[in-house]
Amino acid sequence: MKTKLAIKKIFVFALLVTTNSVLWAQEQPKGKFSLPPLPYEANALAPVISETTIKLHHGKHLKAYIDNLNKLIVGTPFENSDLETIVKNSTGAIFNNAAQALNHIIYFNTFSPKANQLPSGALLKAIEKEWGSFDNFKKEFTSAATSLFGSGWVWLAKDKNGKLYILSESNAGNPITKGYTPLLGIDVWEHAYYLDYQNRRPEHIEKLWTIIDWDTVGARYK
Ligand code: MN
């Protein structure tokens, strides 16, 4: 029975990894978070994102946020909470590290070496309803990501009625703190692109469109 349960757990875990990285974050052992593996090889997104950048961003930056969070929550009310609960209810250093952990888990699971996909189905319909066309949405999102001052994140998010929004958040901001569900998050901190693009953030954002996995983003919309 134990083996059966374990297999079932692994299956559910794998399903969540592929369909919804936000839920996936909730599957982490409570109170002790670990660095999730990348869903692709570190060199799989090159040349859009180089192997060096992926290795640093995932293996150093994300790892540091997770390690810091594990230390900071000891002896606090968040010691046995899941990641989303911590992001929604914390402030200060705990919030910063928890939100950056969640943001990066969503981020790394948004990309795929399958290039040049486009959104489809219900997500495409919702995008067209809000921005007229996918191209218009892309323009608006690119403009938001290019013009965000300093470090932060630009999100495609939905409200509880399925209406879509482009939300710019500074530093570690995540739309779940305002009641939205994040579907797509682009990291505009310089560490995300500086080694590959130096100060050319617009070029980096433009290239990212070719590695977005719209199947994953679409699954988050459901
Ligand atoms: Mn980052």
Side-chain angles (χ1 to χ4, degrees), residues 57 61-62 65 100 104 107-108 153 187-189 191-192:
H57 202 180
H61 288 272
L62 174 53
Y65 294 128
Q100 281 294 73
H104 284 87
Y107 173 82
F108 286 117
W153 293 80
D187 187 347
V188 299
W189 286 56
H191 67 228

Side-chain angles (χ1 to χ4, degrees), residues 3-14:
T3 316
K4 258 192 177 172
L5 190 65
I7 290 168
K8 200 178 164 195
K9 270 190 175 171
I10 289 165
F11 177 73
V12 170
F13 182 80

Side-chain angles (χ1 to χ4, degrees), residues 25-26 28-33 69 73 76-87 89:
Q26 292 175 330
Q28 295 250 349
K30 287 184 176 177
K32 178 71 182 171
F33 301 100
L69 179 64
I73 56 176
T76 76
F78 300 113
E79 202 162 1
N80 293 306
S81 301
D82 63 60
L83 198 49
E84 280 193 48
T85 303
I86 301 175
V87 173
N89 297 289

